[in-house]
PDB file of all heavy atoms in Angstrom:
ATOM      1  N   VAL A 958      13.058  15.838 -35.229  1.00  0.00           N
ATOM      2  CA  VAL A 958      14.414  15.914 -34.685  1.00  0.00           C
ATOM      3  C   VAL A 958      14.499  15.141 -33.371  1.00  0.00           C
ATOM      4  O   VAL A 958      15.449  14.399 -33.125  1.00  0.00           O
ATOM      5  CB  VAL A 958      14.829  17.384 -34.481  1.00  0.00           C
ATOM      6  CG1 VAL A 958      16.130  17.478 -33.694  1.00  0.00           C
ATOM      7  CG2 VAL A 958      14.962  18.093 -35.814  1.00  0.00           C
ATOM      8  N   GLY A1078       5.461   4.234 -20.811  1.00  0.00           N
ATOM      9  CA  GLY A1078       6.015   4.548 -22.122  1.00  0.00           C
ATOM     10  C   GLY A1078       6.551   5.967 -22.187  1.00  0.00           C
ATOM     11  O   GLY A1078       7.636   6.210 -22.742  1.00  0.00           O
ATOM     12  N   LEU A1082      10.709   7.389 -22.578  1.00  0.00           N
ATOM     13  CA  LEU A1082      11.064   8.363 -23.618  1.00  0.00           C
ATOM     14  C   LEU A1082      11.587   9.660 -23.016  1.00  0.00           C
ATOM     15  O   LEU A1082      12.120  10.508 -23.732  1.00  0.00           O
ATOM     16  CB  LEU A1082       9.855   8.648 -24.509  1.00  0.00           C
ATOM     17  CG  LEU A1082       9.393   7.496 -25.402  1.00  0.00           C
ATOM     18  CD1 LEU A1082       8.099   7.869 -26.121  1.00  0.00           C
ATOM     19  CD2 LEU A1082      10.468   7.100 -26.401  1.00  0.00           C
ATOM     20  N   ILE A1116       7.699  -4.968 -22.840  1.00  0.00           N
ATOM     21  CA  ILE A1116       7.662  -4.833 -24.301  1.00  0.00           C
ATOM     22  C   ILE A1116       7.917  -3.380 -24.704  1.00  0.00           C
ATOM     23  O   ILE A1116       8.636  -3.100 -25.674  1.00  0.00           O
ATOM     24  CB  ILE A1116       6.311  -5.329 -24.848  1.00  0.00           C
ATOM     25  CG1 ILE A1116       6.206  -6.842 -24.677  1.00  0.00           C
ATOM     26  CG2 ILE A1116       6.147  -4.944 -26.317  1.00  0.00           C
ATOM     27  CD1 ILE A1116       4.845  -7.402 -25.052  1.00  0.00           C
ATOM     28  N   PRO A1130      24.221   6.257 -33.084  1.00  0.00           N
ATOM     29  CA  PRO A1130      25.365   5.496 -33.596  1.00  0.00           C
ATOM     30  C   PRO A1130      25.898   4.537 -32.549  1.00  0.00           C
ATOM     31  O   PRO A1130      25.811   4.799 -31.341  1.00  0.00           O
ATOM     32  CB  PRO A1130      26.385   6.588 -33.935  1.00  0.00           C
ATOM     33  CG  PRO A1130      26.000   7.752 -33.073  1.00  0.00           C
ATOM     34  CD  PRO A1130      24.510   7.695 -32.956  1.00  0.00           C
ATOM     35  N   TYR A1141      34.516  -1.771 -18.896  1.00  0.00           N
ATOM     36  CA  TYR A1141      34.180  -2.641 -17.774  1.00  0.00           C
ATOM     37  C   TYR A1141      35.417  -3.349 -17.234  1.00  0.00           C
ATOM     38  O   TYR A1141      35.558  -3.536 -16.019  1.00  0.00           O
ATOM     39  CB  TYR A1141      33.115  -3.657 -18.177  1.00  0.00           C
ATOM     40  CG  TYR A1141      31.712  -3.128 -18.012  1.00  0.00           C
ATOM     41  CD1 TYR A1141      31.029  -2.547 -19.073  1.00  0.00           C
ATOM     42  CD2 TYR A1141      31.074  -3.178 -16.776  1.00  0.00           C
ATOM     43  CE1 TYR A1141      29.753  -2.052 -18.924  1.00  0.00           C
ATOM     44  CE2 TYR A1141      29.793  -2.677 -16.611  1.00  0.00           C
ATOM     45  CZ  TYR A1141      29.135  -2.115 -17.696  1.00  0.00           C
ATOM     46  OH  TYR A1141      27.875  -1.605 -17.529  1.00  0.00           O
ATOM     47  N   PHE A1156      23.859   4.232  -1.105  1.00  0.00           N
ATOM     48  CA  PHE A1156      23.115   3.827   0.091  1.00  0.00           C
ATOM     49  C   PHE A1156      23.354   4.819   1.218  1.00  0.00           C
ATOM     50  O   PHE A1156      22.411   5.263   1.881  1.00  0.00           O
ATOM     51  CB  PHE A1156      23.515   2.422   0.532  1.00  0.00           C
ATOM     52  CG  PHE A1156      22.727   1.929   1.716  1.00  0.00           C
ATOM     53  CD1 PHE A1156      21.506   1.309   1.542  1.00  0.00           C
ATOM     54  CD2 PHE A1156      23.195   2.120   3.015  1.00  0.00           C
ATOM     55  CE1 PHE A1156      20.760   0.882   2.636  1.00  0.00           C
ATOM     56  CE2 PHE A1156      22.461   1.699   4.109  1.00  0.00           C
ATOM     57  CZ  PHE A1156      21.244   1.072   3.918  1.00  0.00           C
TER      58      PHE A1156
END
Side-chain angles (χ1 to χ4, degrees):
V958 170
L1082 292 174
I1116 291 174
Y1141 273 95
F1156 183 86

